Amino acid sequence: MERLPGFRDFYPEPVPHEDAWSADARHYIFDRWRSTARRYGFREYDGPPLEALELYTAKSGEEIVGQLYHFVDKGERAVALRPEMTPTLARMVAACERNYKKPIKWFAIPQLFRYERQQKGRLREHFQFNADIIGEADPAADAEMIALLIDSLRALRLTAEDFVLRLSSRRAWQQFFFQRCPDMAKAYDFYQIIDKLEREESSVSRAKLTSLGFTLDDVRAFIQASQPTAELEVVLKNLGARGLADFVKIDYNVVRGLAYYTGVVFEAFDRKGQFRAIAGGGRYDDLVKRMSAGKVDLPALGFGMGDVILCELLQARGLLPKFDAAVDVFCLIEDESLRPECLQLIAQLRDAGSVVDYCLTPTRPDKQFKRALELNATHTAKLERAPAGGVIARSKDLRSRTEQLASVAETVSLLCPGKGAATNP
Ligand code: HAM
């Protein structure tokens, strides 16, 4: 049985073949995302991977709706696998916002599903770090969001030389649009053309713009001028105060493909331009209101950062650490009559917080030692019968090759210094 195209298998390192993804790298990335979000005071939330189809049909825009995995379930409900997290978040906030002080600062790492055309950096399933602030209209929130995005990439050792955040404004594009076309219904089609400007042939964009009554030259001149709006000025100043000015630039090529954005929008790209967007987001001040049929009106903004492009970028720049099994102690059971005592030692070491492994069934001593080396264990420990009776432990530091002979209790403290906080007291 083959896995479905566009889906991934995650294996522990070393991964078995080129197409396999590293479960260790995934864990490393998620860990950095989580810890950065927590440093910024964000709380973790989650929602269901399967939602009512109509959550997306009205709010996300045609492009994403065309990519939905959807079906009718056994209860005759039209359902869809979530292609993005923002509608779920807006639904959850609209339902329970009274329970939370504003602004709400939440993050999640959902797995998302989009039936995309196969292309580089685009799969049919990906994980996305989502961080959103709900209930704050001031551009200070936009700056905070952008700073979090930048710092989550810095936490993965990427620098201002590796990536840039391109800042833009839907509001600026809205003004541009309405000064030239009064037909609001066409605005979304217009944003879609701008969103694809850099990826599509000029002749295609030109023809599409002409059909809406715009000219490519006019659009290009507007992008070229890159005149920051008042709110963008505030955002730039705020980021400058944090020492993050080198990570951002105004770039009106960005408008975002999703329908619900209303204000500041942004996308992060690698500086060399080798990959598609690493992350994207912006303000969506009307979504919660629309989701709650007008009952809850809260401004909101956030971003999504995918794991696919990020992982490829980290790999290409040599920024992924070397992962191994990270075993602290490998217990050698050379005297099978001492297996119960060994199991007790193993339990004590694990309770003290160490990563401990051993051979589950009787195994030749040389094979056990080989396994300890394969797992890159820092220490081995084995129990021996003491000549005077009782049991003593012989531990070995595999880096310095030094050995210690001590009581079992002393060996536990020796092998787990500082790890004292037992998980199973
Ligand atoms: P998005 O631009 O559709 O935004 O996705 C954000 C990021 O997810 C992209 O920049 C890309 O790295 C990754 N991504 C998207 N689709 C795929 C795919 N098929 N394969 C691999 N990676 C992908 C959103 O989803 C918004 N809901 C983000 C947001 C949160 N806006 C406000 N809050």
Side-chain angles (χ1 to χ4, degrees):
M1 285 282 278
E2 297 254 321
R3 67 178 193 280
L4 291 168
F7 286 75
R8 291 173 291 174
D9 293 328
F10 289 89
Y11 285 90
E13 301 251 358
V15 297
H17 55 79
E18 257 202 355
D19 278 353
W21 285 68
S22 162
D24 294 305
R26 183 175 89 174
H27 178 85
Y28 167 73
I29 291 171
F30 285 14
D31 194 49
R32 294 301 183 282
W33 282 346
R34 260 199 189 94
S35 56
T36 315
R38 293 218 175 102
R39 278 196 279 136
Y40 271 72
F42 281 63
R43 306 281 305 275
E44 189 159 3
Y45 72 99
D46 202 359
L50 197 68
E51 289 271 18
L53 175 63
E54 65 167 339
L55 187 68
Y56 308 108
T57 44
K59 278 93 183 176
S60 295
E62 273 159 44
E63 187 170 76
I64 227 168
V65 168
Q67 297 169 341
L68 283 175
Y69 274 91
H70 65 99
F71 58 96
V72 176
D73 75 3
K74 289 178 184 166
E76 300 293 313
R77 293 175 208 92
V79 293
L81 282 173
R82 60 186 175 195
E84 57 157 338
M85 197 59 175
T86 316
T88 296
L89 172 66
R91 177 180 64 66
M92 287 170 61
V93 165
C96 295
E97 54 89 18
R98 285 216 195 112
N99 294 55
Y100 298 94
K101 292 251 185 313
K102 314 295 176 306
I104 291 170
K105 293 164 73 180
W106 285 0
F107 80 96
I109 307 181
Q111 190 172 21
L112 306 174
F113 305 88
R114 299 182 187 181
Y115 197 89
E116 296 245 19
R117 203 164 44 81
Q118 294 282 338
Q119 52 191 309
K120 188 169 175 276
R122 278 285 191 262
L123 299 174
R124 291 185 175 161
E125 145 281 315
H126 71 283
F127 289 91
Q128 205 185 78
F129 172 39
N130 272 251
D132 294 80
I133 299 180
I134 293 131
E136 182 52 71
D138 195 276
D142 302 61
E144 178 78 350
M145 207 71 255
I146 291 163
L148 168 58
L149 197 166
I150 294 169
D151 276 345
S152 356
L153 293 174
R154 287 172 77 201
L156 291 157
R157 299 194 291 154
L158 289 161
T159 67
E161 275 159 38
D162 298 308
F163 74 94
V164 62
L165 204 124
R166 297 159 71 184
L167 260 179
S168 176
S169 163
R170 261 285 165 95
R171 215 186 292 273
W173 275 114
Q174 241 162 31
Q175 256 176 14
F176 176 94
F177 180 87
F178 291 128
Q179 279 162 6
R180 291 157 181 83
C181 172
D183 187 357
M184 247 190 85
K186 289 184 184 164
Y188 179 62
D189 293 341
F190 174 73
Y191 299 147
Q192 287 286 301
I193 304 170
I194 306 299
D195 186 48
K196 295 190 173 60
L197 217 52
E198 290 178 302
R199 278 173 275 145
E200 243 162 19
E201 290 283 329
S202 297
S203 56
V204 177
S205 304
R206 193 184 298 278
K208 284 186 184 171
L209 284 168
T210 311
S211 74
L212 288 184
F214 294 86
T215 71
L216 183 57
D217 290 345
D218 196 11
V219 162
R220 283 203 174 134
F222 180 72
I223 294 172
Q224 188 75 35
S226 35
Q227 198 56 50
T229 58
E231 57 199 350
L232 283 177
E233 301 257 27
V234 176
V235 171
L236 287 176
K237 216 169 150 196
N238 183 312
L239 292 171
R242 302 170 195 239
L244 297 178
D246 288 350
F247 290 90
V248 288
K249 67 166 187 189
I250 300 288
D251 188 340
Y252 283 160
N253 277 297
V254 171
V255 68
R256 304 285 294 140
L258 290 156
Y260 46 68
Y261 291 108
T262 51
V264 169
V265 284
F266 47 84
E267 281 179 348
F269 284 88
D270 71 292
R271 287 263 187 203
K272 291 190 183 161
Q274 288 175 313
F275 302 93
R276 294 179 61 136
I278 308 163
R283 256 198 189 274
Y284 51 96
D285 283 347
D286 303 335
L287 189 62
V288 177
K289 189 172 175 190
R290 282 197 282 140
M291 203 64 87
S292 62
K295 285 196 203 88
V296 181
D297 189 4
L298 284 172
L301 74 158
F303 69 80
M305 179 185 295
D307 70 323
V308 177
I309 287 163
L310 184 55
C311 200
E312 286 174 357
L313 174 64
L314 291 173
Q315 223 154 19
R317 303 285 176 270
L319 291 175
L320 282 175
K322 201 178 161 317
F323 302 103
D324 58 37
V327 166
D328 297 318
V329 185
F330 193 92
C331 265
L332 304 165
I333 308 178
E334 295 183 1
D335 179 349
E336 276 302 325
S337 72
L338 288 176
R339 186 169 279 266
E341 288 81 354
C342 285
L343 288 173
Q344 197 183 12
L345 169 65
I346 289 164
Q348 283 174 353
L349 288 167
R350 284 175 174 166
D351 283 353
S354 282
V355 179
V356 187
D357 212 344
Y358 67 103
C359 287
L360 291 170
T361 53
T363 307
R364 270 189 6 226
D366 58 327
K367 283 204 170 163
Q368 291 190 51
F369 191 67
K370 199 169 155 226
R371 183 89 184 114
L373 295 180
E374 277 164 10
L375 291 174
N376 208 11
T378 0
H379 290 88
T380 54
K382 67 179 168 192
L383 295 184
E384 297 171 3
R385 291 197 189 279
V391 170
I392 46 166
R394 188 183 293 276
S395 61
K396 185 169 181 179
D397 183 327
L398 295 180
R399 308 274 188 275
S400 63
R401 305 255 156 205
T402 47
E403 261 191 8
Q404 300 248 19
L405 205 57
S407 73
V408 172
E410 280 166 351
T411 303
V412 171
S413 344
L414 182 81
L415 293 180
C416 311
K419 288 193 171 167
T423 37
N424 291 327

PDB file of all heavy atoms in Angstrom, residues 50-80:
ATOM      1  N   LEU A  50     -12.259  18.220  11.435  1.00  0.00           N
ATOM      2  CA  LEU A  50     -13.394  18.139  10.514  1.00  0.00           C
ATOM      3  C   LEU A  50     -14.425  19.178  10.936  1.00  0.00           C
ATOM      4  O   LEU A  50     -14.794  19.244  12.111  1.00  0.00           O
ATOM      5  CB  LEU A  50     -13.992  16.725  10.584  1.00  0.00           C
ATOM      6  CG  LEU A  50     -14.911  16.320   9.442  1.00  0.00           C
ATOM      7  CD1 LEU A  50     -14.144  16.176   8.130  1.00  0.00           C
ATOM      8  CD2 LEU A  50     -15.628  15.002   9.762  1.00  0.00           C
ATOM      9  N   GLU A  51     -14.859  19.995   9.960  1.00  0.00           N
ATOM     10  CA  GLU A  51     -15.800  21.074  10.268  1.00  0.00           C
ATOM     11  C   GLU A  51     -16.967  21.028   9.288  1.00  0.00           C
ATOM     12  O   GLU A  51     -16.901  20.353   8.250  1.00  0.00           O
ATOM     13  CB  GLU A  51     -15.097  22.436  10.118  1.00  0.00           C
ATOM     14  CG  GLU A  51     -14.062  22.761  11.194  1.00  0.00           C
ATOM     15  CD  GLU A  51     -14.676  23.465  12.411  1.00  0.00           C
ATOM     16  OE1 GLU A  51     -15.904  23.415  12.611  1.00  0.00           O
ATOM     17  OE2 GLU A  51     -13.893  24.052  13.177  1.00  0.00           O
ATOM     18  N   ALA A  52     -18.028  21.786   9.583  1.00  0.00           N
ATOM     19  CA  ALA A  52     -19.142  21.918   8.634  1.00  0.00           C
ATOM     20  C   ALA A  52     -18.614  22.607   7.375  1.00  0.00           C
ATOM     21  O   ALA A  52     -17.873  23.591   7.477  1.00  0.00           O
ATOM     22  CB  ALA A  52     -20.257  22.739   9.256  1.00  0.00           C
ATOM     23  N   LEU A  53     -18.991  22.103   6.224  1.00  0.00           N
ATOM     24  CA  LEU A  53     -18.500  22.656   4.945  1.00  0.00           C
ATOM     25  C   LEU A  53     -18.759  24.159   4.847  1.00  0.00           C
ATOM     26  O   LEU A  53     -17.925  24.928   4.386  1.00  0.00           O
ATOM     27  CB  LEU A  53     -19.180  21.902   3.789  1.00  0.00           C
ATOM     28  CG  LEU A  53     -18.904  22.388   2.379  1.00  0.00           C
ATOM     29  CD1 LEU A  53     -17.428  22.249   2.018  1.00  0.00           C
ATOM     30  CD2 LEU A  53     -19.755  21.623   1.365  1.00  0.00           C
ATOM     31  N   GLU A  54     -19.918  24.583   5.346  1.00  0.00           N
ATOM     32  CA  GLU A  54     -20.292  25.996   5.167  1.00  0.00           C
ATOM     33  C   GLU A  54     -19.400  26.961   5.952  1.00  0.00           C
ATOM     34  O   GLU A  54     -19.398  28.158   5.681  1.00  0.00           O
ATOM     35  CB  GLU A  54     -21.761  26.221   5.504  1.00  0.00           C
ATOM     36  CG  GLU A  54     -22.077  25.972   6.946  1.00  0.00           C
ATOM     37  CD  GLU A  54     -23.476  26.499   7.320  1.00  0.00           C
ATOM     38  OE1 GLU A  54     -23.996  27.376   6.598  1.00  0.00           O
ATOM     39  OE2 GLU A  54     -24.007  26.029   8.317  1.00  0.00           O
ATOM     40  N   LEU A  55     -18.613  26.449   6.892  1.00  0.00           N
ATOM     41  CA  LEU A  55     -17.670  27.318   7.609  1.00  0.00           C
ATOM     42  C   LEU A  55     -16.690  27.949   6.609  1.00  0.00           C
ATOM     43  O   LEU A  55     -16.198  29.049   6.815  1.00  0.00           O
ATOM     44  CB  LEU A  55     -16.895  26.504   8.655  1.00  0.00           C
ATOM     45  CG  LEU A  55     -15.989  27.278   9.589  1.00  0.00           C
ATOM     46  CD1 LEU A  55     -16.801  28.151  10.544  1.00  0.00           C
ATOM     47  CD2 LEU A  55     -15.098  26.351  10.391  1.00  0.00           C
ATOM     48  N   TYR A  56     -16.404  27.218   5.541  1.00  0.00           N
ATOM     49  CA  TYR A  56     -15.417  27.708   4.559  1.00  0.00           C
ATOM     50  C   TYR A  56     -16.062  28.316   3.316  1.00  0.00           C
ATOM     51  O   TYR A  56     -15.512  29.232   2.742  1.00  0.00           O
ATOM     52  CB  TYR A  56     -14.493  26.563   4.136  1.00  0.00           C
ATOM     53  CG  TYR A  56     -13.898  25.878   5.332  1.00  0.00           C
ATOM     54  CD1 TYR A  56     -14.305  24.601   5.706  1.00  0.00           C
ATOM     55  CD2 TYR A  56     -12.971  26.537   6.135  1.00  0.00           C
ATOM     56  CE1 TYR A  56     -13.790  23.992   6.834  1.00  0.00           C
ATOM     57  CE2 TYR A  56     -12.454  25.933   7.267  1.00  0.00           C
ATOM     58  CZ  TYR A  56     -12.861  24.662   7.615  1.00  0.00           C
ATOM     59  OH  TYR A  56     -12.360  24.076   8.732  1.00  0.00           O
ATOM     60  N   THR A  57     -17.208  27.788   2.901  1.00  0.00           N
ATOM     61  CA  THR A  57     -17.760  28.227   1.613  1.00  0.00           C
ATOM     62  C   THR A  57     -18.046  29.722   1.604  1.00  0.00           C
ATOM     63  O   THR A  57     -17.810  30.392   0.615  1.00  0.00           O
ATOM     64  CB  THR A  57     -19.030  27.427   1.249  1.00  0.00           C
ATOM     65  OG1 THR A  57     -19.838  27.329   2.418  1.00  0.00           O
ATOM     66  CG2 THR A  57     -18.694  26.038   0.776  1.00  0.00           C
ATOM     67  N   ALA A  58     -18.492  30.272   2.749  1.00  0.00           N
ATOM     68  CA  ALA A  58     -18.850  31.686   2.744  1.00  0.00           C
ATOM     69  C   ALA A  58     -17.674  32.606   3.046  1.00  0.00           C
ATOM     70  O   ALA A  58     -17.623  33.718   2.548  1.00  0.00           O
ATOM     71  CB  ALA A  58     -19.960  31.927   3.753  1.00  0.00           C
ATOM     72  N   LYS A  59     -16.695  32.123   3.850  1.00  0.00           N
ATOM     73  CA  LYS A  59     -15.748  33.078   4.433  1.00  0.00           C
ATOM     74  C   LYS A  59     -14.312  33.072   3.904  1.00  0.00           C
ATOM     75  O   LYS A  59     -13.601  34.055   4.040  1.00  0.00           O
ATOM     76  CB  LYS A  59     -15.694  32.882   5.956  1.00  0.00           C
ATOM     77  CG  LYS A  59     -16.808  33.558   6.708  1.00  0.00           C
ATOM     78  CD  LYS A  59     -17.964  32.657   6.926  1.00  0.00           C
ATOM     79  CE  LYS A  59     -19.133  33.333   7.618  1.00  0.00           C
ATOM     80  NZ  LYS A  59     -20.277  32.400   7.712  1.00  0.00           N
ATOM     81  N   SER A  60     -13.854  31.979   3.349  1.00  0.00           N
ATOM     82  CA  SER A  60     -12.425  31.905   3.036  1.00  0.00           C
ATOM     83  C   SER A  60     -12.082  32.394   1.629  1.00  0.00           C
ATOM     84  O   SER A  60     -10.952  32.746   1.362  1.00  0.00           O
ATOM     85  CB  SER A  60     -11.930  30.473   3.194  1.00  0.00           C
ATOM     86  OG  SER A  60     -12.032  30.073   4.529  1.00  0.00           O
ATOM     87  N   GLY A  61     -13.036  32.362   0.727  1.00  0.00           N
ATOM     88  CA  GLY A  61     -12.748  32.762  -0.652  1.00  0.00           C
ATOM     89  C   GLY A  61     -12.622  31.549  -1.553  1.00  0.00           C
ATOM     90  O   GLY A  61     -12.283  30.458  -1.100  1.00  0.00           O
ATOM     91  N   GLU A  62     -12.906  31.792  -2.840  1.00  0.00           N
ATOM     92  CA  GLU A  62     -13.011  30.693  -3.819  1.00  0.00           C
ATOM     93  C   GLU A  62     -11.793  29.790  -3.891  1.00  0.00           C
ATOM     94  O   GLU A  62     -11.911  28.586  -4.021  1.00  0.00           O
ATOM     95  CB  GLU A  62     -13.198  31.269  -5.214  1.00  0.00           C
ATOM     96  CG  GLU A  62     -14.627  31.546  -5.586  1.00  0.00           C
ATOM     97  CD  GLU A  62     -14.680  32.554  -6.710  1.00  0.00           C
ATOM     98  OE1 GLU A  62     -13.881  32.403  -7.666  1.00  0.00           O
ATOM     99  OE2 GLU A  62     -15.497  33.488  -6.627  1.00  0.00           O
ATOM    100  N   GLU A  63     -10.588  30.405  -3.831  1.00  0.00           N
ATOM    101  CA  GLU A  63      -9.392  29.615  -4.079  1.00  0.00           C
ATOM    102  C   GLU A  63      -9.304  28.442  -3.110  1.00  0.00           C
ATOM    103  O   GLU A  63      -9.142  27.290  -3.513  1.00  0.00           O
ATOM    104  CB  GLU A  63      -8.137  30.483  -3.955  1.00  0.00           C
ATOM    105  CG  GLU A  63      -6.902  29.708  -4.372  1.00  0.00           C
ATOM    106  CD  GLU A  63      -5.680  30.604  -4.497  1.00  0.00           C
ATOM    107  OE1 GLU A  63      -5.108  30.981  -3.469  1.00  0.00           O
ATOM    108  OE2 GLU A  63      -5.321  30.917  -5.642  1.00  0.00           O
ATOM    109  N   ILE A  64      -9.490  28.721  -1.833  1.00  0.00           N
ATOM    110  CA  ILE A  64      -9.356  27.674  -0.817  1.00  0.00           C
ATOM    111  C   ILE A  64     -10.548  26.714  -0.869  1.00  0.00           C
ATOM    112  O   ILE A  64     -10.402  25.515  -0.656  1.00  0.00           O
ATOM    113  CB  ILE A  64      -9.152  28.295   0.584  1.00  0.00           C
ATOM    114  CG1 ILE A  64      -7.998  27.567   1.263  1.00  0.00           C
ATOM    115  CG2 ILE A  64     -10.364  28.241   1.454  1.00  0.00           C
ATOM    116  CD1 ILE A  64      -7.480  28.214   2.491  1.00  0.00           C
ATOM    117  N   VAL A  65     -11.722  27.218  -1.194  1.00  0.00           N
ATOM    118  CA  VAL A  65     -12.911  26.366  -1.272  1.00  0.00           C
ATOM    119  C   VAL A  65     -12.733  25.346  -2.398  1.00  0.00           C
ATOM    120  O   VAL A  65     -13.107  24.175  -2.262  1.00  0.00           O
ATOM    121  CB  VAL A  65     -14.182  27.232  -1.456  1.00  0.00           C
ATOM    122  CG1 VAL A  65     -15.382  26.361  -1.828  1.00  0.00           C
ATOM    123  CG2 VAL A  65     -14.476  28.001  -0.173  1.00  0.00           C
ATOM    124  N   GLY A  66     -12.091  25.753  -3.473  1.00  0.00           N
ATOM    125  CA  GLY A  66     -11.818  24.844  -4.597  1.00  0.00           C
ATOM    126  C   GLY A  66     -10.847  23.739  -4.197  1.00  0.00           C
ATOM    127  O   GLY A  66     -10.733  22.733  -4.908  1.00  0.00           O
ATOM    128  N   GLN A  67     -10.152  23.905  -3.076  1.00  0.00           N
ATOM    129  CA  GLN A  67      -9.152  22.914  -2.658  1.00  0.00           C
ATOM    130  C   GLN A  67      -9.627  22.057  -1.491  1.00  0.00           C
ATOM    131  O   GLN A  67      -8.845  21.322  -0.909  1.00  0.00           O
ATOM    132  CB  GLN A  67      -7.880  23.640  -2.222  1.00  0.00           C
ATOM    133  CG  GLN A  67      -7.221  24.434  -3.332  1.00  0.00           C
ATOM    134  CD  GLN A  67      -6.125  25.333  -2.805  1.00  0.00           C
ATOM    135  OE1 GLN A  67      -6.074  25.625  -1.615  1.00  0.00           O
ATOM    136  NE2 GLN A  67      -5.269  25.784  -3.690  1.00  0.00           N
ATOM    137  N   LEU A  68     -10.904  22.157  -1.159  1.00  0.00           N
ATOM    138  CA  LEU A  68     -11.390  21.435   0.031  1.00  0.00           C
ATOM    139  C   LEU A  68     -11.486  19.928  -0.174  1.00  0.00           C
ATOM    140  O   LEU A  68     -11.879  19.462  -1.243  1.00  0.00           O
ATOM    141  CB  LEU A  68     -12.787  21.932   0.408  1.00  0.00           C
ATOM    142  CG  LEU A  68     -12.874  23.275   1.116  1.00  0.00           C
ATOM    143  CD1 LEU A  68     -14.329  23.663   1.313  1.00  0.00           C
ATOM    144  CD2 LEU A  68     -12.173  23.221   2.457  1.00  0.00           C
ATOM    145  N   TYR A  69     -11.138  19.200   0.865  1.00  0.00           N
ATOM    146  CA  TYR A  69     -11.483  17.777   0.946  1.00  0.00           C
ATOM    147  C   TYR A  69     -12.849  17.759   1.617  1.00  0.00           C
ATOM    148  O   TYR A  69     -12.949  18.065   2.814  1.00  0.00           O
ATOM    149  CB  TYR A  69     -10.498  17.048   1.866  1.00  0.00           C
ATOM    150  CG  TYR A  69      -9.244  16.583   1.190  1.00  0.00           C
ATOM    151  CD1 TYR A  69      -8.122  17.400   1.165  1.00  0.00           C
ATOM    152  CD2 TYR A  69      -9.175  15.320   0.594  1.00  0.00           C
ATOM    153  CE1 TYR A  69      -6.956  16.973   0.549  1.00  0.00           C
ATOM    154  CE2 TYR A  69      -7.999  14.890  -0.009  1.00  0.00           C
ATOM    155  CZ  TYR A  69      -6.906  15.719  -0.040  1.00  0.00           C
ATOM    156  OH  TYR A  69      -5.752  15.290  -0.632  1.00  0.00           O
ATOM    157  N   HIS A  70     -13.913  17.486   0.884  1.00  0.00           N
ATOM    158  CA  HIS A  70     -15.229  17.498   1.545  1.00  0.00           C
ATOM    159  C   HIS A  70     -16.067  16.314   1.127  1.00  0.00           C
ATOM    160  O   HIS A  70     -15.858  15.721   0.069  1.00  0.00           O
ATOM    161  CB  HIS A  70     -15.942  18.830   1.290  1.00  0.00           C
ATOM    162  CG  HIS A  70     -16.285  19.081  -0.142  1.00  0.00           C
ATOM    163  ND1 HIS A  70     -17.529  18.849  -0.665  1.00  0.00           N
ATOM    164  CD2 HIS A  70     -15.525  19.545  -1.165  1.00  0.00           C
ATOM    165  CE1 HIS A  70     -17.524  19.163  -1.945  1.00  0.00           C
ATOM    166  NE2 HIS A  70     -16.324  19.580  -2.274  1.00  0.00           N
ATOM    167  N   PHE A  71     -17.002  15.973   1.964  1.00  0.00           N
ATOM    168  CA  PHE A  71     -17.885  14.832   1.697  1.00  0.00           C
ATOM    169  C   PHE A  71     -19.131  14.952   2.572  1.00  0.00           C
ATOM    170  O   PHE A  71     -19.199  15.822   3.446  1.00  0.00           O
ATOM    171  CB  PHE A  71     -17.155  13.511   1.965  1.00  0.00           C
ATOM    172  CG  PHE A  71     -16.623  13.341   3.353  1.00  0.00           C
ATOM    173  CD1 PHE A  71     -17.348  12.659   4.322  1.00  0.00           C
ATOM    174  CD2 PHE A  71     -15.377  13.871   3.714  1.00  0.00           C
ATOM    175  CE1 PHE A  71     -16.849  12.497   5.621  1.00  0.00           C
ATOM    176  CE2 PHE A  71     -14.882  13.720   5.006  1.00  0.00           C
ATOM    177  CZ  PHE A  71     -15.610  13.036   5.955  1.00  0.00           C
ATOM    178  N   VAL A  72     -20.101  14.071   2.298  1.00  0.00           N
ATOM    179  CA  VAL A  72     -21.311  14.049   3.130  1.00  0.00           C
ATOM    180  C   VAL A  72     -21.148  12.890   4.109  1.00  0.00           C
ATOM    181  O   VAL A  72     -20.848  11.770   3.696  1.00  0.00           O
ATOM    182  CB  VAL A  72     -22.572  13.866   2.247  1.00  0.00           C
ATOM    183  CG1 VAL A  72     -23.821  13.751   3.114  1.00  0.00           C
ATOM    184  CG2 VAL A  72     -22.694  15.029   1.267  1.00  0.00           C
ATOM    185  N   ASP A  73     -21.268  13.178   5.413  1.00  0.00           N
ATOM    186  CA  ASP A  73     -21.023  12.104   6.396  1.00  0.00           C
ATOM    187  C   ASP A  73     -22.264  11.216   6.546  1.00  0.00           C
ATOM    188  O   ASP A  73     -23.293  11.454   5.894  1.00  0.00           O
ATOM    189  CB  ASP A  73     -20.515  12.682   7.723  1.00  0.00           C
ATOM    190  CG  ASP A  73     -21.605  13.347   8.557  1.00  0.00           C
ATOM    191  OD1 ASP A  73     -22.786  13.320   8.155  1.00  0.00           O
ATOM    192  OD2 ASP A  73     -21.272  13.893   9.627  1.00  0.00           O
ATOM    193  N   LYS A  74     -22.166  10.207   7.439  1.00  0.00           N
ATOM    194  CA  LYS A  74     -23.269   9.235   7.552  1.00  0.00           C
ATOM    195  C   LYS A  74     -24.537   9.865   8.120  1.00  0.00           C
ATOM    196  O   LYS A  74     -25.605   9.292   8.011  1.00  0.00           O
ATOM    197  CB  LYS A  74     -22.814   8.047   8.403  1.00  0.00           C
ATOM    198  CG  LYS A  74     -21.813   7.189   7.662  1.00  0.00           C
ATOM    199  CD  LYS A  74     -21.308   6.044   8.500  1.00  0.00           C
ATOM    200  CE  LYS A  74     -20.234   5.297   7.723  1.00  0.00           C
ATOM    201  NZ  LYS A  74     -19.463   4.380   8.539  1.00  0.00           N
ATOM    202  N   GLY A  75     -24.399  11.048   8.713  1.00  0.00           N
ATOM    203  CA  GLY A  75     -25.571  11.750   9.225  1.00  0.00           C
ATOM    204  C   GLY A  75     -26.075  12.786   8.229  1.00  0.00           C
ATOM    205  O   GLY A  75     -26.779  13.718   8.625  1.00  0.00           O
ATOM    206  N   GLU A  76     -25.652  12.656   6.954  1.00  0.00           N
ATOM    207  CA  GLU A  76     -26.090  13.559   5.865  1.00  0.00           C
ATOM    208  C   GLU A  76     -25.609  15.004   6.060  1.00  0.00           C
ATOM    209  O   GLU A  76     -26.219  15.929   5.550  1.00  0.00           O
ATOM    210  CB  GLU A  76     -27.636  13.580   5.741  1.00  0.00           C
ATOM    211  CG  GLU A  76     -28.272  12.227   5.441  1.00  0.00           C
ATOM    212  CD  GLU A  76     -27.907  11.717   4.046  1.00  0.00           C
ATOM    213  OE1 GLU A  76     -27.991  12.503   3.089  1.00  0.00           O
ATOM    214  OE2 GLU A  76     -27.487  10.547   3.932  1.00  0.00           O
ATOM    215  N   ARG A  77     -24.516  15.172   6.838  1.00  0.00           N
ATOM    216  CA  ARG A  77     -23.975  16.528   6.993  1.00  0.00           C
ATOM    217  C   ARG A  77     -22.883  16.765   5.961  1.00  0.00           C
ATOM    218  O   ARG A  77     -22.051  15.872   5.747  1.00  0.00           O
ATOM    219  CB  ARG A  77     -23.342  16.709   8.374  1.00  0.00           C
ATOM    220  CG  ARG A  77     -24.298  16.680   9.516  1.00  0.00           C
ATOM    221  CD  ARG A  77     -23.532  16.736  10.846  1.00  0.00           C
ATOM    222  NE  ARG A  77     -24.304  16.079  11.868  1.00  0.00           N
ATOM    223  CZ  ARG A  77     -24.188  14.780  12.195  1.00  0.00           C
ATOM    224  NH1 ARG A  77     -23.285  14.017  11.609  1.00  0.00           N
ATOM    225  NH2 ARG A  77     -24.965  14.259  13.113  1.00  0.00           N
ATOM    226  N   ALA A  78     -22.897  17.951   5.348  1.00  0.00           N
ATOM    227  CA  ALA A  78     -21.809  18.316   4.436  1.00  0.00           C
ATOM    228  C   ALA A  78     -20.636  18.775   5.301  1.00  0.00           C
ATOM    229  O   ALA A  78     -20.757  19.747   6.053  1.00  0.00           O
ATOM    230  CB  ALA A  78     -22.262  19.425   3.512  1.00  0.00           C
ATOM    231  N   VAL A  79     -19.512  18.038   5.238  1.00  0.00           N
ATOM    232  CA  VAL A  79     -18.369  18.349   6.105  1.00  0.00           C
ATOM    233  C   VAL A  79     -17.097  18.518   5.271  1.00  0.00           C
ATOM    234  O   VAL A  79     -17.030  18.086   4.114  1.00  0.00           O
ATOM    235  CB  VAL A  79     -18.148  17.230   7.165  1.00  0.00           C
ATOM    236  CG1 VAL A  79     -19.309  17.183   8.148  1.00  0.00           C
ATOM    237  CG2 VAL A  79     -17.957  15.876   6.501  1.00  0.00           C
ATOM    238  N   ALA A  80     -16.086  19.139   5.880  1.00  0.00           N
ATOM    239  CA  ALA A  80     -14.803  19.342   5.180  1.00  0.00           C
ATOM    240  C   ALA A  80     -13.659  19.213   6.177  1.00  0.00           C
ATOM    241  O   ALA A  80     -13.795  19.602   7.343  1.00  0.00           O
ATOM    242  CB  ALA A  80     -14.773  20.730   4.544  1.00  0.00           C
TER     243      ALA A  80
END
